[in-house]
């Protein structure tokens, strides 16, 4: 590789010099030859620079042999490219200076920046903090070429994160170029030139027309979202999260889109796409409720059932653009029937039972017809299913901070909003075709009440605002849908309702359980709220007010822990807490407490992972869980935020 004149600005040259100084100070990179210098503002290089020849990649380790050749000093940005100003600064050159906080990379929740530091891609090192660009890419290529077997787990994790940042950087460039192509075609004098931009892009990139249209749409959506583009280009978010923000703000005015972007972009690097979508949708509904309503009404006209082949050779049957309340009722019925079958001895995993019930309800057939052969399938295991709740499920509903307190629902009754109050519309003996039960071979009298967990702000429930609600397993819903679901749940005398008060950040700080459902009339609901007894949820230093002796966790403690944390307590896991185990963070036999400060909801997968060698979990405060993973880095999960 030969050196080229690089048009660096003075600012970029100083930045690259600082990076090299940090690498040298770390002790794992030898200084360049004295006659070597970075390109100046005019892009000039020493006339005798030439090709310094192959050398040991400087990115691997500080243990360089004394006879190692000098590094290759040509790993510089090509003409016209810069590493990007304004990003994270490299480590200070002085030996005693603190290491920089790590860039929050894609897919990481609350990553602890106080890693071990050191050379290469170790946590806290210069490369671990470096923005994506030519320098980082050269480091990755050199490390990859040298082989990864010499890296420890922490360095390997850093390299994975660096590749992810680089991937995001490339995606930002692709979307920017795509948006420019669309702009040029739209500006063409021909009347239909812009209409075929997707066709041109499909041929250029060898993709389907639908995929090309989607790429154009995402590029157009991000063209007016500078903070999202910047976060993607610097590797703080990935293309999937950028697509969520772009889609959710698509129907807003430029001013409203900018406002929503500022509300969500700060936490986007620490959120999965599902959590980000819920947060963005709530912000959109607050900014312009009419936009979401228009999108929903337009899409509802395209309601359909789709049958498609799976790649495996099986089939996919799905309903699209269905009314949310009806879809939730249908899903609750399927789930309740599947759990009833499992409780009555049918040997299969819950997802298999749900699929079997889905087909049975549509075909009028015994659901066991659609289950795999138990003699050849591992699903016959009798181990507890990871979806079974560890205590009484509840979803609490917070309101904006301060009085009045919010109301919430735990739908334990029939979820079908078309059913009269007190009736069970999900009885398999009455859900039939041609006068025959759906599954006549299944014993009668099974418990099949559906369950829907709705979290709705008090002001929305009372009809004062249209602040969005959230439904476990579904996500955000607009005010009209929220009230429809709440009224459907309240119609059942068997439904259970709770109230949760939140702080300004949406964290649960107090809770109450109602003894009976609220009245149907909104005018009578204020009096109903006054009958509730509100108790504090532990935060900060625990007072152990709810601690009990022994290992067994009472239902009331299950309930309050799963109100505090509405999902699994592992970073990035969104499984509803009602479907999780209530886990002793420190095993009870090792001194763990059966208390709010010693318990947290974990799905079965993360419950088992926590017990695996190399995984370690601590709960320094109630609801604050610090995970130490096998590669050595720490991640902190905090209590769930409710819509406020």
């Amino acid at each position: 590789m030969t050196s080229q004149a690089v048009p660096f600005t003075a600012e970029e040259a100083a930045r690259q010099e600082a990076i090299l100084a940090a690498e040298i100070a770390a002790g794992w990179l030898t200084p360049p030859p004295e006659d070597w210098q970075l390109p100046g503002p005019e892009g000039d290089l020493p006339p005798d620079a030439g090709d310094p020849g192959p050398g040991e990649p400087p990115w691997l380790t500080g243990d360089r042999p004394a006879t190692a050749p000098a590094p290759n000093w040509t790993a510089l940005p090509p003409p016209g490219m810069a590493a990007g100003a304004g990003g994270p600064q490299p480590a200070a050159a002085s030996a005693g200076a603190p290491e920089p906080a790590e860039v929050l990379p894609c897919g990481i929740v609350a990553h602890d920046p106080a890693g071990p530091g050191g050379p290469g891609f170790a946590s806290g090192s210069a490369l671990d903090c470096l923005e994506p660009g030519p320098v980082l890419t050269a480091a990755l290529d050199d490390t990859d070429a040298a082989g990864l077997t010499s890296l420890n787990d922490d360095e390997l994790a850093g390299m994975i994160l660096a590749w992810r940042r680089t991937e995001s950087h490339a995606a930002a460039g692709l979307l920017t170029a795509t948006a420019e192509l669309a702009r040029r075609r739209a500006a063409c004098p021909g009347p239909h030139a812009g209409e075929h931009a997707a066709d041109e892009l499909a041929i250029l990139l060898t993709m389907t027309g639908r995929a090309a249209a989607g790429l154009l749409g995402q590029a157009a959506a991000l063209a007016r979202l500078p903070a999202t583009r910047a976060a993607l280009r610097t590797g703080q978010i990935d293309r999937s999260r950028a697509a969520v923000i772009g889609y959710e703000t698509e129907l807003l005015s430029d001013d409203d889109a900018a406002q929503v972007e500022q509300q969500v972009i700060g936490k986007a690097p620490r959120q999965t796409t599902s959590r980000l979508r819920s947060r963005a949708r709530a912000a959109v509904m607050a900014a312009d409720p009419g936009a979401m309503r228009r999108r929903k009404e337009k899409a509802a006209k395209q309601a359909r059932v789709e049958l498609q082949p799976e790649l495996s050779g099986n089939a996919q049957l799905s309903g699209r653009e269905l009314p949310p309340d009806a879809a939730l009722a249908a899903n609750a019925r399927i789930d309740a029937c599947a759990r009833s079958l499992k409780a009555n001895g049918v040997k299969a995993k819950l997802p298999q039972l749900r699929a079997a019930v889905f087909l049975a309800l549509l075909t009028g057939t015994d659901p066991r017809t659609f289950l795999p052969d138990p003699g050849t399938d591992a699903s016959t295991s009798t181990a507890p299913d990871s979806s079974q709740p560890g205590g009484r499920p509840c979803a609490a509903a917070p309101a904006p901070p301060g009085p009045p307190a919010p109301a919430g629902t735990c739908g334990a009754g029939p979820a079908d909003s078309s059913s009269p109050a007190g009736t069970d519309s999900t009885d398999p003996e009455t859900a039939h075709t041609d006068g025959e039960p759906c599954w006549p071979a299944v014993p009668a009298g099974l418990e099949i009440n559906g369950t829907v967990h709705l979290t709705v702000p008090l002001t929305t429930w009372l009809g004062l605002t249209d602040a969005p609600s959230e439904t476990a397993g579904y996500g955000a819903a607009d005010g009209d849908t929220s009230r429809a679901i709440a009224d459907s749940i309240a119609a059942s005398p068997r439904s259970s309702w709770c109230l949760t008060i939140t702080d300004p950040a949406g964290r649960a700080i107090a809770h109450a359980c109602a003894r009976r459902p609220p009245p149907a009339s909104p005018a009578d609901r204020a009096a109903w709220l006054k009958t509730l007894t509100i108790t504090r949820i532990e935060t900060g230093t625990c007072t152990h007010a709810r601690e009990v002796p022994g290992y067994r966790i009472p239902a009331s403690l299950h309930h309050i822990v799963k109100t505090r944390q509405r999902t699994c307590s592992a970073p990035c896991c969104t499984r509803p807490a009602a479907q999780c185990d209530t886990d002793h963070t420190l095993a009870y036999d090792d001194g763990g407490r059966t208390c709010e400060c010693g318990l947290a909801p974990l799905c079965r997968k993360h419950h088992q992972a926590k017990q695996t060698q190399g995984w370690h979990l601590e709960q320094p405060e109630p609801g604050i869980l610090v995970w130490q993973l096998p590669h050595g880095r720490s991640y902190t999960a905090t209590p769930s935020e409710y819509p406020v």
Side-chain angles (χ1 to χ4, degrees):
M1 171 166 132
T2 58
S3 301
Q4 305 179 52
V6 184
F8 271 7
T9 63
E11 179 183 6
E12 180 59 24
R15 182 172 178 273
Q16 294 295 338
E17 287 178 344
I19 293 174
L20 289 173
E23 294 169 350
I24 294 169
W28 51 271
L29 184 64
T30 56
E34 291 186 1
D35 59 349
W36 183 90
Q37 64 182 37
L38 274 170
E42 307 303 323
D44 56 317
L45 284 172
D48 58 345
D51 187 352
E56 180 185 8
W59 338 101
L60 295 180
T61 176
D63 300 329
R64 300 182 67 251
T67 58
N72 186 338
W73 298 106
T74 57
L76 297 172
M81 294 188 64
Q89 297 301 311
S94 60
E99 294 181 353
E102 181 171 343
V103 172
L104 201 59
C106 299
I108 297 304
V109 174
H111 178 211
D112 179 10
F121 290 94
S123 182
S125 65
L127 288 175
D128 193 43
C129 302
L130 192 61
E131 282 185 15
V135 174
L136 183 61
T137 301
L140 288 165
D141 286 340
D142 285 348
T143 305
D144 194 52
L148 307 183
T149 55
S150 62
L151 304 183
N152 60 36
D153 285 357
D154 177 61
E155 292 171 324
L156 184 61
M159 190 173 180
I160 292 171
L161 293 172
W163 275 121
R164 184 67 175 273
R165 296 199 301 275
T166 301
E167 180 184 46
S168 297
H169 184 80
L174 172 64
L175 291 169
T176 300
T178 299
E180 174 62 15
L181 176 67
R183 187 196 66 78
R184 294 185 183 187
R185 295 300 173 266
C188 286
H192 303 293
E195 298 176 8
H196 298 288
D199 300 325
E200 180 181 0
L201 192 64
I203 295 173
L204 175 66
L205 298 179
T206 315
M207 59 170 52
T208 65
R210 177 176 294 183
L215 181 60
L216 273 176
Q218 185 179 357
L222 293 185
R224 62 174 185 162
L225 299 173
T228 303
R229 291 200 315 272
L232 181 64
R233 183 170 289 277
T234 56
Q236 297 177 59
I237 63 174
D238 56 15
R239 183 175 166 185
S240 297
R241 276 172 280 188
V244 167
I245 299 173
Y247 177 79
E248 295 300 332
T249 58
E250 185 175 48
L251 298 181
L252 299 178
S253 66
D254 288 348
D255 289 343
D256 285 343
Q259 178 184 351
V260 169
E261 181 188 37
Q262 290 305 313
Q263 290 181 37
V264 303
I265 195 63
K267 292 186 177 181
R270 303 184 296 277
Q271 294 178 321
T272 61
T273 52
S274 60
R275 286 180 174 172
L276 176 59
R277 185 179 300 281
S278 180
R279 182 177 176 84
R281 186 156 296 183
V284 168
M285 284 189 275
D288 184 1
M292 288 298 301
R293 189 175 295 113
R294 292 191 300 272
R295 171 182 277 168
K296 188 173 70 170
E297 291 173 351
K298 179 180 179 180
K301 297 177 181 178
Q302 301 176 6
R304 61 201 182 274
V305 174
E306 292 182 349
L307 175 64
Q308 297 179 354
E310 296 278 14
L311 295 178
S312 63
N314 294 316
Q316 175 192 132
L317 181 65
S318 59
R320 304 292 303 275
E321 302 297 350
L322 307 178
D325 53 345
L328 286 166
N331 183 68
R333 181 180 182 186
I334 290 171
D335 191 70
C337 293
R339 291 180 184 277
S340 297
L341 291 171
K342 191 171 186 68
N344 280 266
V346 178
K347 303 295 184 182
K349 293 181 179 178
L350 190 62
Q352 294 172 329
L353 288 170
R354 282 174 51 86
V357 168
F358 174 72
L359 292 174
L361 289 171
L362 293 174
T363 61
T365 309
D366 187 324
R368 292 174 294 187
T369 304
F370 304 107
L371 294 174
D373 181 2
T376 59
D377 190 80
S379 65
T380 57
S381 170
T382 58
D385 189 87
S386 62
S387 298
Q388 295 291 352
R392 183 166 73 89
C394 172
T409 71
C410 303
D416 190 343
S417 59
S418 64
S419 304
T423 64
D424 188 353
S425 64
T426 60
D427 188 344
E429 292 300 327
T430 60
H432 54 75
T433 57
D434 300 328
E436 293 296 327
C438 284
W439 40 82
V442 176
L446 302 183
E447 175 62 33
I448 43 76
N449 291 327
T451 301
V452 174
H453 300 279
L454 173 69
T455 301
V456 54
L458 176 63
T459 53
T460 300
W461 181 55
L462 295 176
L464 302 177
T465 68
D466 281 327
S469 69
E470 288 186 5
T471 303
Y474 175 75
D478 59 80
D480 292 337
T481 301
S482 305
R483 287 184 286 270
I485 297 171
D487 290 344
S488 174
I489 295 173
S492 170
R494 290 176 292 176
S495 64
S496 65
W497 286 65
C498 294
L499 173 147
T500 296
I501 299 175
T502 66
D503 64 12
R507 303 261 178 93
I509 57 175
H511 186 71
C513 294
R515 295 183 177 180
R516 63 181 186 277
S521 171
D524 298 330
R525 290 174 179 172
W528 174 81
L529 288 169
K530 294 179 181 178
T531 66
L532 304 180
T533 301
I534 301 172
T535 58
R536 174 178 177 269
I537 294 176
E538 296 284 357
T539 57
T541 302
C542 187
T543 65
H544 313 300
R546 294 187 177 91
E547 183 174 12
V548 297
Y551 171 80
R552 185 175 179 82
I553 306 169
S556 60
L557 196 49
H558 277 292
H559 177 62
I560 206 69
V561 167
K562 293 181 178 182
T563 297
R564 180 190 71 198
Q565 281 163 286
R566 301 158 59 213
T567 64
C568 173
S569 299
C572 301
C573 185
T574 57
R575 192 172 190 85
Q579 300 175 9
C580 295
D581 303 328
T582 302
D583 170 64
H584 282 82
T585 305
L586 176 63
Y588 179 77
D589 291 342
D590 294 333
R593 310 180 76 142
T594 306
C595 179
E596 288 176 67
C597 63
L599 301 171
L602 290 181
C603 70
R604 185 58 55 88
K605 179 178 66 174
H606 287 110
H607 193 168
Q608 294 171 342
K610 169 217 169 184
Q611 299 170 352
T612 305
Q613 182 178 1
W615 290 70
H616 183 68
L617 179 61
E618 295 180 349
Q619 188 171 181
E621 298 178 16
I624 307 296
L625 287 99
V626 180
W627 293 75
Q628 185 84 17
L629 271 56
H631 59 256
R633 303 191 181 203
S634 297
Y635 306 86
T636 301
T638 58
S640 309
E641 296 178 4
Y642 285 92
V644 294

